[in-house]
Amino acid sequence: MVTTPIQPSQHPLAEYIYRLEQGQALLKDTPDNLIEVVGILKSYGVVLDAYSNNLNYIGKYQFLVLFPFFKYFNGDVSFSKLLKHWWHDRINYEYAEYCMRGMLWHGGGKLDEYVDSKEFRVNCDRAIKAKLKSNPFILGLNKIFPNFLLEQAKMSAYYAALGQFWRVMSDMFLSLSDRYDAGEINSIPDVVQHILDGLVANASRPITFEVDIKGETYTIIPEEAGLTFLMETAVPYVEAVFFRGFPFLGTVSYNAQANQVPNGQECFTYGALYADPLPVGSAGIPPTLLMQDMRHYIPDYLHKFYQNSLRQEDDLLVKICISFQKSMYCVTTAALRGLAPHSLDTKDEQEIMANRKFLEGWMNRFLTSRMVDVNQDVLKI
């Protein structure tokens, strides 16, 4: 065990605390892990580009379209695309919506507060009247149920917010791949530093939302609202998608008497950091959609890496899921380093203790996660 200048942590996952204090990541720094993480983030970056473009399109151009049959077409509807859509020869945008609904449901941050504010309601009312002024039936329905269209507008706001968040993350992951190809990324800590630098550089990037209605632009979330990339999208996203998530339909019972779903949202552990990769590939499991999308874009060197494993590519989706989890622990490391009360390499004892308290709180959440599993070279088993 690594010695420290102060009393050792008694936490069961103290090894990972010491690892972070030494500038390492939650994921072990090995050549194989580097190949997996950079390769899968290259693929993920391509997929996120498509997800981001579609979410931004839906938010801006499908605002209050109650039956958006062509929302996945990004405004380009053709018979050939329709056939591909029915044949599922396309990006699975449903996974992006799954993440969006997770963020909307779990909430958190100023975005969650803003969509419940009076200012948001006023902005939405103006857009609702412009959008539906020739539809007395829906306007009448809205008077009977005054929150009906407002809730639809809130969902559109989350479409746009997640789309803007993923725009940044896609560019970040693709530039990571470019730097790896150029020989600039040589270790897992290099990966973490690249992600941390990207998060810091975009931390104050404003999150806004405008919609086009009959040639006019209506502002729903103005820049003056003060919503920013890091605290209003990145942190709630990590909470909702990495940690909490929600149980997949068909895997557990939502019947309250069955007691298979926790009573409190804060107890949910269905996020990406906890998910067992074995069910990946099963019908109705949302991560399957993401893994299916990423399998089309993994680079050649990662394909070769998978082919050298025991089952080669027979369990490709499972392998992609494991690699993806490894990469998300790198992203989580970057987030922890950015959110820690003090620099994790501090030598000041009081600052070290403050960091320890912060990290031990997070380690409590990792106790039932797959953090230990992904550090055991599972692809070689």
Side-chain angles (χ1 to χ4, degrees):
M1 180 178 292
V2 178
T3 59
T4 60
I6 59 175
Q7 188 69 24
S9 172
Q10 300 301 311
H11 197 279
L13 297 177
E15 170 192 350
Y16 293 89
I17 295 176
Y18 302 148
R19 189 182 291 181
L20 292 172
E21 291 176 343
Q22 293 179 330
Q24 297 296 311
L26 295 173
L27 180 68
K28 189 186 304 181
D29 183 19
T30 68
D32 286 353
N33 281 343
L34 181 63
I35 289 174
E36 286 189 72
V37 167
V38 176
I40 208 65
L41 287 180
K42 165 67 181 295
S43 174
Y44 191 43
V46 175
V47 173
L48 285 190
D49 175 66
Y51 287 173
S52 172
N53 291 338
N54 184 246
L55 289 175
N56 286 324
Y57 167 79
I58 293 175
K60 189 169 186 177
Y61 297 104
Q62 299 290 294
F63 181 73
L64 296 184
V65 177
L66 301 183
F67 300 101
F69 295 112
F70 301 109
K71 62 183 176 180
Y72 297 146
F73 289 73
N74 292 342
D76 179 20
V77 181
S78 65
F79 185 67
S80 62
K81 286 188 70 174
L82 190 60
L83 289 178
K84 288 184 177 182
H85 182 87
W86 287 337
W87 193 253
H88 286 274
D89 181 17
R90 60 179 175 89
I91 292 287
N92 291 293
Y93 297 113
E94 292 89 341
Y95 179 77
E97 288 188 297
Y98 163 80
C99 293
M100 177 277 295
R101 293 177 189 277
M103 288 183 66
L104 174 64
W105 192 63
H106 285 293
K110 289 184 180 179
L111 176 59
D112 186 38
E113 296 174 3
Y114 187 79
V115 296
D116 288 327
S117 69
K118 182 179 179 180
E119 180 182 351
F120 182 80
R121 179 183 285 271
V122 170
N123 293 340
C124 288
D125 284 345
R126 190 182 303 116
I128 288 170
K129 290 177 182 177
K131 178 78 174 182
L132 301 171
K133 62 182 179 182
S134 59
N135 193 329
F137 173 75
I138 296 298
L139 288 177
L141 188 65
N142 191 48
K143 288 184 178 180
I144 300 173
F145 305 101
N147 289 324
F148 170 60
L149 293 179
L150 182 63
E151 289 300 314
Q152 298 299 313
K154 288 181 182 180
M155 187 163 62
S156 294
Y158 270 86
Y159 271 110
L162 181 56
Q164 292 169 69
F165 169 71
W166 271 343
R167 174 73 274 141
V168 172
M169 300 308 291
S170 172
D171 294 342
M172 188 187 304
F173 295 149
L174 292 177
S175 65
L176 171 71
S177 175
D178 291 341
R179 291 186 63 199
Y180 175 79
D181 293 342
E184 298 176 16
I185 299 294
N186 299 295
S187 67
I188 292 297
D190 287 347
V191 172
V192 172
Q193 188 61 49
H194 174 89
I195 295 171
L196 178 58
D197 290 343
L199 293 176
V200 171
N202 291 279
S204 59
R205 180 171 177 157
I207 298 297
T208 61
F209 178 36
E210 296 178 340
V211 296
D212 285 354
I213 300 176
K214 299 176 182 178
E216 292 190 31
T217 299
Y218 291 81
T219 299
I220 306 298
I221 301 179
E223 187 172 341
E224 291 74 22
L227 305 185
T228 58
F229 165 82
L230 184 63
M231 298 309 297
E232 277 64 66
T233 59
V235 173
Y237 178 84
V238 168
E239 183 68 41
V241 179
F242 282 20
F243 285 95
R244 294 186 183 181
F246 35 80
F248 310 133
L249 293 172
T251 61
V252 298
S253 172
Y254 276 73
N255 187 320
Q257 284 71 34
N259 293 317
Q260 292 186 5
V261 176
N263 291 326
Q265 290 174 245
E266 69 279 359
C267 299
F268 277 33
T269 54
Y270 299 99
L273 302 182
Y274 298 85
D276 186 337
L278 294 180
V280 171
S282 304
I285 307 298
T288 297
L289 303 176
L290 174 61
M291 306 310 152
Q292 288 280 13
D293 287 339
M294 288 198 293
R295 74 182 299 172
H296 299 296
Y297 303 104
I298 55 178
D300 291 339
Y301 60 83
L302 186 55
H303 263 301
K304 293 178 181 178
F305 177 79
Y306 289 152
Q307 289 168 353
N308 289 332
S309 62
L310 181 63
R311 296 186 179 89
Q312 297 184 357
E313 294 191 23
D314 289 344
D315 56 346
L316 182 60
L317 293 186
V318 173
K319 287 183 170 67
I320 290 175
C321 183
I322 294 170
S323 298
F324 180 69
Q325 283 185 320
K326 289 183 176 183
S327 71
M328 292 303 100
Y329 279 105
C330 293
V331 176
T332 303
T333 300
L336 292 179
R337 287 178 58 183
L339 295 172
H342 307 284
S343 174
L344 292 182
D345 60 0
T346 180
K347 303 303 179 184
D348 183 278
E349 289 193 9
Q350 290 186 340
E351 292 182 351
I352 291 175
M353 292 305 296
N355 285 342
R356 285 274 176 91
K357 184 176 180 181
F358 168 81
L359 292 174
E360 286 178 351
W362 283 98
M363 290 303 147
N364 289 336
R365 304 186 69 179
F366 288 130
L367 284 171
T368 57
S369 75
R370 284 185 43 80
M371 185 168 66
V372 175
D373 297 289
V374 298
N375 278 284
Q376 294 178 342
D377 296 326
V378 288
L379 290 187
K380 293 182 179 180
I381 297 176

PDB file of all heavy atoms in Angstrom, residues 173-201:
ATOM      1  N   PHE A 173     -13.668  14.145 -27.553  1.00  0.00           N
ATOM      2  CA  PHE A 173     -13.245  12.751 -27.741  1.00  0.00           C
ATOM      3  C   PHE A 173     -12.567  12.556 -29.102  1.00  0.00           C
ATOM      4  O   PHE A 173     -11.617  11.776 -29.221  1.00  0.00           O
ATOM      5  CB  PHE A 173     -14.439  11.811 -27.596  1.00  0.00           C
ATOM      6  CG  PHE A 173     -15.036  11.789 -26.215  1.00  0.00           C
ATOM      7  CD1 PHE A 173     -16.391  11.548 -26.027  1.00  0.00           C
ATOM      8  CD2 PHE A 173     -14.249  12.010 -25.095  1.00  0.00           C
ATOM      9  CE1 PHE A 173     -16.947  11.526 -24.757  1.00  0.00           C
ATOM     10  CE2 PHE A 173     -14.799  11.985 -23.809  1.00  0.00           C
ATOM     11  CZ  PHE A 173     -16.153  11.750 -23.652  1.00  0.00           C
ATOM     12  N   LEU A 174     -13.059  13.245 -30.118  1.00  0.00           N
ATOM     13  CA  LEU A 174     -12.442  13.108 -31.436  1.00  0.00           C
ATOM     14  C   LEU A 174     -11.056  13.762 -31.464  1.00  0.00           C
ATOM     15  O   LEU A 174     -10.141  13.244 -32.109  1.00  0.00           O
ATOM     16  CB  LEU A 174     -13.346  13.727 -32.502  1.00  0.00           C
ATOM     17  CG  LEU A 174     -14.669  12.978 -32.746  1.00  0.00           C
ATOM     18  CD1 LEU A 174     -15.530  13.718 -33.766  1.00  0.00           C
ATOM     19  CD2 LEU A 174     -14.422  11.553 -33.192  1.00  0.00           C
ATOM     20  N   SER A 175     -10.900  14.867 -30.762  1.00  0.00           N
ATOM     21  CA  SER A 175      -9.572  15.482 -30.689  1.00  0.00           C
ATOM     22  C   SER A 175      -8.623  14.631 -29.867  1.00  0.00           C
ATOM     23  O   SER A 175      -7.414  14.591 -30.137  1.00  0.00           O
ATOM     24  CB  SER A 175      -9.668  16.894 -30.107  1.00  0.00           C
ATOM     25  OG  SER A 175     -10.109  16.879 -28.765  1.00  0.00           O
ATOM     26  N   LEU A 176      -9.148  13.903 -28.870  1.00  0.00           N
ATOM     27  CA  LEU A 176      -8.331  12.950 -28.111  1.00  0.00           C
ATOM     28  C   LEU A 176      -7.785  11.877 -29.039  1.00  0.00           C
ATOM     29  O   LEU A 176      -6.585  11.535 -28.991  1.00  0.00           O
ATOM     30  CB  LEU A 176      -9.172  12.303 -27.006  1.00  0.00           C
ATOM     31  CG  LEU A 176      -8.533  11.125 -26.267  1.00  0.00           C
ATOM     32  CD1 LEU A 176      -7.391  11.609 -25.378  1.00  0.00           C
ATOM     33  CD2 LEU A 176      -9.570  10.375 -25.432  1.00  0.00           C
ATOM     34  N   SER A 177      -8.637  11.349 -29.918  1.00  0.00           N
ATOM     35  CA  SER A 177      -8.200  10.331 -30.873  1.00  0.00           C
ATOM     36  C   SER A 177      -7.132  10.877 -31.810  1.00  0.00           C
ATOM     37  O   SER A 177      -6.144  10.196 -32.111  1.00  0.00           O
ATOM     38  CB  SER A 177      -9.407   9.828 -31.676  1.00  0.00           C
ATOM     39  OG  SER A 177      -9.004   8.933 -32.680  1.00  0.00           O
ATOM     40  N   ASP A 178      -7.331  12.115 -32.271  1.00  0.00           N
ATOM     41  CA  ASP A 178      -6.333  12.730 -33.162  1.00  0.00           C
ATOM     42  C   ASP A 178      -4.987  12.879 -32.450  1.00  0.00           C
ATOM     43  O   ASP A 178      -3.930  12.624 -33.044  1.00  0.00           O
ATOM     44  CB  ASP A 178      -6.824  14.097 -33.631  1.00  0.00           C
ATOM     45  CG  ASP A 178      -8.019  13.998 -34.570  1.00  0.00           C
ATOM     46  OD1 ASP A 178      -8.238  12.913 -35.140  1.00  0.00           O
ATOM     47  OD2 ASP A 178      -8.745  15.012 -34.727  1.00  0.00           O
ATOM     48  N   ARG A 179      -5.018  13.280 -31.197  1.00  0.00           N
ATOM     49  CA  ARG A 179      -3.774  13.442 -30.446  1.00  0.00           C
ATOM     50  C   ARG A 179      -3.110  12.089 -30.185  1.00  0.00           C
ATOM     51  O   ARG A 179      -1.888  11.980 -30.194  1.00  0.00           O
ATOM     52  CB  ARG A 179      -4.055  14.142 -29.112  1.00  0.00           C
ATOM     53  CG  ARG A 179      -4.476  15.614 -29.248  1.00  0.00           C
ATOM     54  CD  ARG A 179      -4.590  16.261 -27.890  1.00  0.00           C
ATOM     55  NE  ARG A 179      -3.282  16.270 -27.218  1.00  0.00           N
ATOM     56  CZ  ARG A 179      -3.146  16.422 -25.898  1.00  0.00           C
ATOM     57  NH1 ARG A 179      -4.221  16.543 -25.121  1.00  0.00           N
ATOM     58  NH2 ARG A 179      -1.938  16.430 -25.364  1.00  0.00           N
ATOM     59  N   TYR A 180      -3.914  11.053 -29.981  1.00  0.00           N
ATOM     60  CA  TYR A 180      -3.371   9.702 -29.803  1.00  0.00           C
ATOM     61  C   TYR A 180      -2.687   9.241 -31.092  1.00  0.00           C
ATOM     62  O   TYR A 180      -1.570   8.704 -31.056  1.00  0.00           O
ATOM     63  CB  TYR A 180      -4.494   8.738 -29.421  1.00  0.00           C
ATOM     64  CG  TYR A 180      -4.075   7.284 -29.321  1.00  0.00           C
ATOM     65  CD1 TYR A 180      -3.409   6.805 -28.199  1.00  0.00           C
ATOM     66  CD2 TYR A 180      -4.360   6.386 -30.352  1.00  0.00           C
ATOM     67  CE1 TYR A 180      -3.024   5.474 -28.102  1.00  0.00           C
ATOM     68  CE2 TYR A 180      -3.987   5.062 -30.269  1.00  0.00           C
ATOM     69  CZ  TYR A 180      -3.319   4.614 -29.132  1.00  0.00           C
ATOM     70  OH  TYR A 180      -2.939   3.286 -29.049  1.00  0.00           O
ATOM     71  N   ASP A 181      -3.332   9.467 -32.214  1.00  0.00           N
ATOM     72  CA  ASP A 181      -2.745   9.092 -33.503  1.00  0.00           C
ATOM     73  C   ASP A 181      -1.445   9.850 -33.764  1.00  0.00           C
ATOM     74  O   ASP A 181      -0.542   9.333 -34.428  1.00  0.00           O
ATOM     75  CB  ASP A 181      -3.738   9.368 -34.633  1.00  0.00           C
ATOM     76  CG  ASP A 181      -4.965   8.454 -34.573  1.00  0.00           C
ATOM     77  OD1 ASP A 181      -4.890   7.407 -33.901  1.00  0.00           O
ATOM     78  OD2 ASP A 181      -5.993   8.810 -35.177  1.00  0.00           O
ATOM     79  N   ALA A 182      -1.352  11.076 -33.233  1.00  0.00           N
ATOM     80  CA  ALA A 182      -0.152  11.898 -33.431  1.00  0.00           C
ATOM     81  C   ALA A 182       0.933  11.602 -32.399  1.00  0.00           C
ATOM     82  O   ALA A 182       1.996  12.235 -32.427  1.00  0.00           O
ATOM     83  CB  ALA A 182      -0.522  13.379 -33.371  1.00  0.00           C
ATOM     84  N   GLY A 183       0.663  10.646 -31.482  1.00  0.00           N
ATOM     85  CA  GLY A 183       1.653  10.277 -30.483  1.00  0.00           C
ATOM     86  C   GLY A 183       1.702  11.180 -29.268  1.00  0.00           C
ATOM     87  O   GLY A 183       2.659  11.118 -28.480  1.00  0.00           O
ATOM     88  N   GLU A 184       0.666  12.003 -29.070  1.00  0.00           N
ATOM     89  CA  GLU A 184       0.661  12.938 -27.942  1.00  0.00           C
ATOM     90  C   GLU A 184       0.001  12.356 -26.698  1.00  0.00           C
ATOM     91  O   GLU A 184       0.193  12.884 -25.598  1.00  0.00           O
ATOM     92  CB  GLU A 184      -0.053  14.232 -28.344  1.00  0.00           C
ATOM     93  CG  GLU A 184       0.610  14.978 -29.495  1.00  0.00           C
ATOM     94  CD  GLU A 184      -0.182  16.193 -29.923  1.00  0.00           C
ATOM     95  OE1 GLU A 184      -1.064  16.628 -29.148  1.00  0.00           O
ATOM     96  OE2 GLU A 184       0.066  16.722 -31.020  1.00  0.00           O
ATOM     97  N   ILE A 185      -0.788  11.300 -26.848  1.00  0.00           N
ATOM     98  CA  ILE A 185      -1.478  10.659 -25.721  1.00  0.00           C
ATOM     99  C   ILE A 185      -0.848   9.288 -25.530  1.00  0.00           C
ATOM    100  O   ILE A 185      -0.960   8.412 -26.392  1.00  0.00           O
ATOM    101  CB  ILE A 185      -2.987  10.523 -25.990  1.00  0.00           C
ATOM    102  CG1 ILE A 185      -3.625  11.905 -26.188  1.00  0.00           C
ATOM    103  CG2 ILE A 185      -3.666   9.779 -24.844  1.00  0.00           C
ATOM    104  CD1 ILE A 185      -3.617  12.796 -24.986  1.00  0.00           C
ATOM    105  N   ASN A 186      -0.182   9.096 -24.385  1.00  0.00           N
ATOM    106  CA  ASN A 186       0.582   7.861 -24.175  1.00  0.00           C
ATOM    107  C   ASN A 186       0.223   7.115 -22.898  1.00  0.00           C
ATOM    108  O   ASN A 186       0.857   6.102 -22.595  1.00  0.00           O
ATOM    109  CB  ASN A 186       2.080   8.192 -24.157  1.00  0.00           C
ATOM    110  CG  ASN A 186       2.545   8.812 -25.470  1.00  0.00           C
ATOM    111  OD1 ASN A 186       2.524   8.160 -26.502  1.00  0.00           O
ATOM    112  ND2 ASN A 186       2.954  10.084 -25.412  1.00  0.00           N
ATOM    113  N   SER A 187      -0.769   7.593 -22.150  1.00  0.00           N
ATOM    114  CA  SER A 187      -1.120   6.944 -20.896  1.00  0.00           C
ATOM    115  C   SER A 187      -2.547   7.311 -20.514  1.00  0.00           C
ATOM    116  O   SER A 187      -3.131   8.261 -21.054  1.00  0.00           O
ATOM    117  CB  SER A 187      -0.162   7.373 -19.773  1.00  0.00           C
ATOM    118  OG  SER A 187      -0.341   8.753 -19.482  1.00  0.00           O
ATOM    119  N   ILE A 188      -3.101   6.555 -19.564  1.00  0.00           N
ATOM    120  CA  ILE A 188      -4.432   6.869 -19.050  1.00  0.00           C
ATOM    121  C   ILE A 188      -4.456   8.249 -18.388  1.00  0.00           C
ATOM    122  O   ILE A 188      -5.403   9.021 -18.596  1.00  0.00           O
ATOM    123  CB  ILE A 188      -4.918   5.768 -18.088  1.00  0.00           C
ATOM    124  CG1 ILE A 188      -5.174   4.463 -18.862  1.00  0.00           C
ATOM    125  CG2 ILE A 188      -6.195   6.202 -17.367  1.00  0.00           C
ATOM    126  CD1 ILE A 188      -6.271   4.536 -19.907  1.00  0.00           C
ATOM    127  N   PRO A 189      -3.432   8.624 -17.577  1.00  0.00           N
ATOM    128  CA  PRO A 189      -3.428   9.993 -17.039  1.00  0.00           C
ATOM    129  C   PRO A 189      -3.433  11.071 -18.129  1.00  0.00           C
ATOM    130  O   PRO A 189      -4.022  12.144 -17.938  1.00  0.00           O
ATOM    131  CB  PRO A 189      -2.134  10.040 -16.211  1.00  0.00           C
ATOM    132  CG  PRO A 189      -1.951   8.633 -15.742  1.00  0.00           C
ATOM    133  CD  PRO A 189      -2.402   7.795 -16.912  1.00  0.00           C
ATOM    134  N   ASP A 190      -2.813  10.790 -19.275  1.00  0.00           N
ATOM    135  CA  ASP A 190      -2.871  11.740 -20.395  1.00  0.00           C
ATOM    136  C   ASP A 190      -4.310  11.896 -20.885  1.00  0.00           C
ATOM    137  O   ASP A 190      -4.749  13.003 -21.223  1.00  0.00           O
ATOM    138  CB  ASP A 190      -1.996  11.259 -21.554  1.00  0.00           C
ATOM    139  CG  ASP A 190      -0.515  11.410 -21.282  1.00  0.00           C
ATOM    140  OD1 ASP A 190      -0.157  12.106 -20.311  1.00  0.00           O
ATOM    141  OD2 ASP A 190       0.289  10.817 -22.034  1.00  0.00           O
ATOM    142  N   VAL A 191      -5.032  10.781 -20.938  1.00  0.00           N
ATOM    143  CA  VAL A 191      -6.438  10.815 -21.356  1.00  0.00           C
ATOM    144  C   VAL A 191      -7.246  11.666 -20.383  1.00  0.00           C
ATOM    145  O   VAL A 191      -8.030  12.541 -20.784  1.00  0.00           O
ATOM    146  CB  VAL A 191      -7.021   9.387 -21.426  1.00  0.00           C
ATOM    147  CG1 VAL A 191      -8.531   9.443 -21.675  1.00  0.00           C
ATOM    148  CG2 VAL A 191      -6.329   8.577 -22.515  1.00  0.00           C
ATOM    149  N   VAL A 192      -7.056  11.416 -19.083  1.00  0.00           N
ATOM    150  CA  VAL A 192      -7.792  12.155 -18.061  1.00  0.00           C
ATOM    151  C   VAL A 192      -7.489  13.652 -18.152  1.00  0.00           C
ATOM    152  O   VAL A 192      -8.397  14.484 -18.073  1.00  0.00           O
ATOM    153  CB  VAL A 192      -7.451  11.618 -16.661  1.00  0.00           C
ATOM    154  CG1 VAL A 192      -8.057  12.509 -15.571  1.00  0.00           C
ATOM    155  CG2 VAL A 192      -7.951  10.189 -16.496  1.00  0.00           C
ATOM    156  N   GLN A 193      -6.212  13.992 -18.341  1.00  0.00           N
ATOM    157  CA  GLN A 193      -5.837  15.402 -18.420  1.00  0.00           C
ATOM    158  C   GLN A 193      -6.456  16.067 -19.639  1.00  0.00           C
ATOM    159  O   GLN A 193      -6.915  17.222 -19.560  1.00  0.00           O
ATOM    160  CB  GLN A 193      -4.304  15.537 -18.476  1.00  0.00           C
ATOM    161  CG  GLN A 193      -3.815  16.973 -18.356  1.00  0.00           C
ATOM    162  CD  GLN A 193      -4.205  17.615 -17.038  1.00  0.00           C
ATOM    163  OE1 GLN A 193      -4.001  17.031 -15.971  1.00  0.00           O
ATOM    164  NE2 GLN A 193      -4.785  18.813 -17.101  1.00  0.00           N
ATOM    165  N   HIS A 194      -6.508  15.364 -20.759  1.00  0.00           N
ATOM    166  CA  HIS A 194      -7.139  15.909 -21.962  1.00  0.00           C
ATOM    167  C   HIS A 194      -8.609  16.212 -21.695  1.00  0.00           C
ATOM    168  O   HIS A 194      -9.114  17.285 -22.070  1.00  0.00           O
ATOM    169  CB  HIS A 194      -7.013  14.913 -23.113  1.00  0.00           C
ATOM    170  CG  HIS A 194      -7.750  15.330 -24.357  1.00  0.00           C
ATOM    171  ND1 HIS A 194      -7.183  16.101 -25.347  1.00  0.00           N
ATOM    172  CD2 HIS A 194      -9.029  15.078 -24.770  1.00  0.00           C
ATOM    173  CE1 HIS A 194      -8.065  16.315 -26.303  1.00  0.00           C
ATOM    174  NE2 HIS A 194      -9.200  15.703 -25.981  1.00  0.00           N
ATOM    175  N   ILE A 195      -9.308  15.272 -21.040  1.00  0.00           N
ATOM    176  CA  ILE A 195     -10.729  15.473 -20.753  1.00  0.00           C
ATOM    177  C   ILE A 195     -10.915  16.606 -19.753  1.00  0.00           C
ATOM    178  O   ILE A 195     -11.803  17.456 -19.923  1.00  0.00           O
ATOM    179  CB  ILE A 195     -11.347  14.164 -20.220  1.00  0.00           C
ATOM    180  CG1 ILE A 195     -11.303  13.086 -21.307  1.00  0.00           C
ATOM    181  CG2 ILE A 195     -12.787  14.391 -19.762  1.00  0.00           C
ATOM    182  CD1 ILE A 195     -11.686  11.697 -20.822  1.00  0.00           C
ATOM    183  N   LEU A 196     -10.068  16.637 -18.707  1.00  0.00           N
ATOM    184  CA  LEU A 196     -10.170  17.705 -17.713  1.00  0.00           C
ATOM    185  C   LEU A 196      -9.943  19.072 -18.353  1.00  0.00           C
ATOM    186  O   LEU A 196     -10.679  20.029 -18.065  1.00  0.00           O
ATOM    187  CB  LEU A 196      -9.157  17.471 -16.590  1.00  0.00           C
ATOM    188  CG  LEU A 196      -9.103  18.533 -15.490  1.00  0.00           C
ATOM    189  CD1 LEU A 196     -10.463  18.686 -14.811  1.00  0.00           C
ATOM    190  CD2 LEU A 196      -8.038  18.185 -14.462  1.00  0.00           C
ATOM    191  N   ASP A 197      -8.951  19.165 -19.217  1.00  0.00           N
ATOM    192  CA  ASP A 197      -8.682  20.436 -19.897  1.00  0.00           C
ATOM    193  C   ASP A 197      -9.887  20.873 -20.720  1.00  0.00           C
ATOM    194  O   ASP A 197     -10.232  22.067 -20.770  1.00  0.00           O
ATOM    195  CB  ASP A 197      -7.450  20.310 -20.798  1.00  0.00           C
ATOM    196  CG  ASP A 197      -6.155  20.171 -20.005  1.00  0.00           C
ATOM    197  OD1 ASP A 197      -6.146  20.477 -18.804  1.00  0.00           O
ATOM    198  OD2 ASP A 197      -5.145  19.738 -20.610  1.00  0.00           O
ATOM    199  N   GLY A 198     -10.531  19.901 -21.376  1.00  0.00           N
ATOM    200  CA  GLY A 198     -11.716  20.226 -22.167  1.00  0.00           C
ATOM    201  C   GLY A 198     -12.879  20.690 -21.309  1.00  0.00           C
ATOM    202  O   GLY A 198     -13.597  21.631 -21.667  1.00  0.00           O
ATOM    203  N   LEU A 199     -13.071  20.039 -20.169  1.00  0.00           N
ATOM    204  CA  LEU A 199     -14.141  20.439 -19.259  1.00  0.00           C
ATOM    205  C   LEU A 199     -13.909  21.845 -18.723  1.00  0.00           C
ATOM    206  O   LEU A 199     -14.832  22.661 -18.656  1.00  0.00           O
ATOM    207  CB  LEU A 199     -14.245  19.443 -18.100  1.00  0.00           C
ATOM    208  CG  LEU A 199     -14.698  18.021 -18.443  1.00  0.00           C
ATOM    209  CD1 LEU A 199     -14.644  17.133 -17.214  1.00  0.00           C
ATOM    210  CD2 LEU A 199     -16.109  18.021 -19.030  1.00  0.00           C
ATOM    211  N   VAL A 200     -12.665  22.114 -18.335  1.00  0.00           N
ATOM    212  CA  VAL A 200     -12.337  23.439 -17.796  1.00  0.00           C
ATOM    213  C   VAL A 200     -12.498  24.516 -18.864  1.00  0.00           C
ATOM    214  O   VAL A 200     -13.057  25.595 -18.609  1.00  0.00           O
ATOM    215  CB  VAL A 200     -10.900  23.448 -17.231  1.00  0.00           C
ATOM    216  CG1 VAL A 200     -10.472  24.873 -16.874  1.00  0.00           C
ATOM    217  CG2 VAL A 200     -10.797  22.541 -16.010  1.00  0.00           C
ATOM    218  N   ALA A 201     -12.027  24.232 -20.079  1.00  0.00           N
ATOM    219  CA  ALA A 201     -12.092  25.223 -21.161  1.00  0.00           C
ATOM    220  C   ALA A 201     -13.527  25.587 -21.516  1.00  0.00           C
ATOM    221  O   ALA A 201     -13.808  26.725 -21.943  1.00  0.00           O
ATOM    222  CB  ALA A 201     -11.367  24.694 -22.390  1.00  0.00           C
TER     223      ALA A 201
END
